[in-house]
Amino acid sequence: ELNYVRRNGERFPAEVDSVVLPGPSARSFVILRDITERKRAEAALVASEQRYRLLFDRNPDGVFAVDTTGRFLVANPACETISGYPMAELLQKTFLELCAPDQLATALEHFQRGVREGGYEQLETALVHQDGRRVEVWVAGEALVSEGQTSALYCTVKDITARKQAEQALARTRAELERHNQELEHRVQERTAKLQKALAEMEHFSYAIVHDMRAPLRALRGFAELAEQQCAGSQQTLALGYFDRIKIASKRMDNLICDSLNYSKTVREQLPSEPVELGNLLRDLVQTYPNLQPEKAEIRLEGAFPLVLGNEAALSQCFGNLLDNAVKFAKPNAPSRIRVWAEPRRSSGLMDEGMAAPEGASHQARKPPIHSSTPLVRIWVEDDGIGIPKNLHRRIFDMFQRGTNHHAGTGIGLAIVSKVVERMGGRVGVESQEGKGSRFWVELPAPT
Ligand code: ADP
């Protein structure tokens, strides 16, 4: 092989064969063959081989081939690292000999299927390292098939011990966490039960105390009356004034006790709901409550009252309190004119979801528990009484909140209204301006 130069100066490789022709002429027959293409193909082959050798030798994952008995035909250096065996020893072994005993059956099954069906197999398994430790591996093998026969399996093997250990640690942590959670849940349940018992005992205790306070109070009032009678007609005006104060104070105390007992009953008692004829209930109230009689106020029930879902006794208490207040908080010397009416509604929109109310809008006592598609009935109780200052709107449904001391009261009535309505799945609110009357509303679910 020699390099030649063409006429145009281009160099090219060529193969030269020469034959000296016999005879006296001493002539030679020379064949010059341009081998540029062959040289290029050879160089490409060498480059390709180098590339693949590099990929094979430097691959951090093991790459190997085994024959149909599982014996190693070829393996890259990463296989030495993973198995711990030097190349010479490795090539004496079969892949199955390296398998961890507990993995052998599954590995064999995959291997045999790969050979038999000539396809692609992959599995997670484990090897025993040369130093005896267990190495978790992921193996994928592709069959080399010629004329329908598998001659070898070409495989990749990856050491996944670290990942497996991390997975196991994670699983252990999860199990531990689950155990802790269960323990915690158990403890919470135990403590809640204890707390509920203690709370029930305390409620019972305070209810009993409050209830029993009424007897000495009655005695106090009774004896004050007796003493007052004794002094009647005498000149002891100071003493008479004291007896009067004792009577008023004990009456106020008795009202407070009654209202507190009512509130605690409202909180504790079951309030089973059923469809209630609100119109009948309101008419009964207006006809039978002494405070709601025509000489005290003019009460108009306007339009039809749809059925509501609620508890009859609780509803009587609720509207009894609202009407009682409407009568009580009349303007001086002007008996209240009170209107009551109902309107069907559907809870919808942002306001119903407890968003901030714009200026002049209703103040509602509680965040609504009502689902957005529930059909509702809103009942309005409107009076033309003294009205409520704006700064009180948010508070008047809380316990012991009173807007005025000019009227007898305990500040518990509206708290009871709010509580019973909340327990029936409804809500309450108020719109009012000082000096211009008040409009209370109660929204209740309607039967579907
Ligand atoms: P009480 O009537 O015993 O004071 P409530 O809880 O029934 O307690 O009412 C709380 C406060 O709300 C009242 O003290 C009063 O200031 C105000 N209020 C309630 N209803 C009305 C009303 N219809 N008109 C004006 N103020 C009212």
Side-chain angles (χ1 to χ4, degrees):
E1 271 182 34
L2 286 170
N3 283 327
Y4 291 85
V5 183
R6 286 190 226 281
R7 195 171 164 201
N8 64 6
E10 191 191 331
R11 294 168 72 86
F12 70 100
E15 225 173 39
V16 184
D17 273 333
S18 65
V19 183
V20 181
L21 293 175
S25 64
R27 281 202 199 154
S28 295
F29 185 69
V30 179
I31 302 169
L32 189 76
R33 200 179 301 122
D34 182 347
I35 57 167
T36 311
E37 272 318 303
R38 200 181 80 201
K39 280 281 178 191
R40 204 170 286 153
E42 276 172 11
L45 193 65
V46 169
S48 157
E49 255 188 30
Q50 275 173 348
R51 260 198 314 273
Y52 283 104
R53 170 69 37 204
L54 209 65
L55 279 175
F56 184 73
D57 286 345
R58 302 280 173 83
N59 199 327
D61 294 333
V63 180
F64 62 90
V66 287
D67 67 13
T68 50
T69 67
R71 188 162 305 282
F72 285 99
L73 298 169
V74 61
N76 71 346
C79 291
E80 293 180 298
T81 316
I82 293 171
S83 68
Y85 290 101
M87 190 58 72
E89 244 178 276
L90 195 61
L91 294 177
Q92 299 298 313
K93 291 189 175 294
T94 68
F95 176 67
L96 298 164
E97 279 174 86
L98 300 185
C99 273
D102 61 321
Q103 299 292 311
L104 192 57
T106 322
L108 190 62
E109 190 192 318
H110 277 259
F111 176 72
Q112 286 174 339
R113 193 169 48 224
V115 172
R116 196 173 56 241
E117 295 174 9
Y120 173 81
E121 290 286 326
Q122 61 171 320
L123 83 154
E124 285 188 5
T125 180
L127 307 178
V128 181
H129 191 270
Q130 197 255 353
D131 65 11
R133 92 187 123 86
R134 184 181 175 92
V135 184
E136 304 288 342
V137 289
W138 172 84
V139 187
E142 176 101 52
L144 184 72
V145 183
S146 60
E147 292 174 5
Q149 281 286 317
T150 300
S151 55
L153 285 178
Y154 280 82
C155 308
T156 315
V157 56
K158 194 190 259 296
D159 183 346
I160 56 167
T161 311
R163 195 194 86 196
K164 280 274 173 189
Q165 280 169 354
E167 278 172 10
Q168 281 160 6
L170 197 69
R172 276 197 301 276
T173 313
R174 279 215 185 107
E176 186 94 328
L177 215 63
E178 179 64 18
R179 199 171 52 74
H180 276 304
N181 269 351
Q182 276 171 3
E183 255 176 46
L184 208 67
E185 182 70 18
H186 184 67
R187 244 186 285 162
V188 168
Q189 275 172 6
E190 242 175 29
R191 287 195 189 157
T192 311
K194 270 188 201 160
L195 269 172
Q196 273 168 344
K197 191 163 171 255
L199 201 67
E201 277 166 9
M202 248 168 67
E203 267 176 9
H204 181 76
F205 179 67
S206 52
Y207 188 89
I209 287 189
V210 173
H211 188 266
D212 290 354
M213 272 161 65
R214 293 193 75 192
L217 210 56
R218 267 199 304 272
L220 209 67
R221 188 180 162 85
F223 283 116
E225 275 169 5
L226 282 179
E228 194 180 28
Q229 283 163 21
Q230 290 283 317
C231 296
S234 73
Q235 297 304 308
Q236 303 199 43
T237 46
L238 201 59
L240 280 168
Y242 290 155
F243 294 137
D244 210 34
R245 282 199 217 169
I246 293 174
K247 274 169 28 195
I248 292 170
S250 57
K251 176 72 185 133
R252 202 180 307 137
M253 183 77 174
D254 196 44
N255 285 346
L256 192 63
I257 290 173
C258 286
D259 282 358
S260 302
L261 290 175
N262 265 343
Y263 184 82
S264 100
K265 256 168 69 183
T266 307
V267 175
R268 283 155 20 131
E269 266 179 5
Q270 295 284 326
L271 298 180
S273 276
E274 57 190 351
V276 177
E277 293 268 7
L278 208 52
N280 290 347
L281 183 137
L282 289 167
R283 268 185 291 279
D284 274 1
L285 273 181
V286 173
Q287 280 162 16
T288 55
Y289 266 40
N291 280 352
L292 307 182
Q293 295 316 299
E295 61 277 13
K296 305 212 170 164
E298 176 195 320
I299 302 176
R300 289 207 321 256
L301 306 181
E302 294 181 354
F305 289 88
L307 282 178
V308 294
L309 262 188
N311 179 273
E312 198 160 334
L315 286 171
S316 292
Q317 172 132 51
C318 162
F319 287 105
N321 285 7
L322 289 178
L323 288 168
D324 205 36
N325 278 351
V327 173
K328 186 165 73 173
F329 294 106
K331 285 184 186 143
N333 306 321
S336 277
R337 277 179 308 177
I338 300 165
R339 289 170 62 218
V340 186
W341 73 98
E343 63 187 31
R345 286 169 80 98
R346 253 180 194 278
S347 68
S348 64
L350 299 173
M351 279 290 295
D352 283 341
E353 296 306 321
M355 296 282 287
E359 269 302 291
S362 287
H363 276 290
Q364 58 189 50
R366 296 276 183 274
K367 235 189 143 191
I370 296 168
H371 192 267
S372 67
S373 64
T374 321
L376 308 168
V377 178
R378 183 178 273 203
I379 304 104
W380 293 90
V381 178
E382 183 190 81
D383 64 61
D384 58 355
I386 59 171
I388 304 165
K390 203 161 177 40
N391 63 334
L392 284 181
H393 290 192
R394 283 185 191 282
R395 286 191 276 128
I396 47 166
F397 293 96
D398 294 340
M399 282 281 269
F400 306 122
Q401 293 297 328
R402 305 194 58 218
T404 162
N405 286 325
H406 301 307
H407 299 77
T410 56
I412 297 178
L414 287 181
I416 292 179
V417 169
S418 168
K419 190 46 119 186
V420 292
V421 172
E422 183 195 320
R423 292 199 58 203
M424 288 185 290
R427 53 185 197 163
V428 294
V430 66
E431 295 174 4
S432 178
Q433 251 185 305
E434 202 170 358
K436 295 199 176 160
S438 310
R439 272 170 153 201
F440 282 84
W441 56 263
V442 174
E443 218 163 66
L444 293 163
T448 42

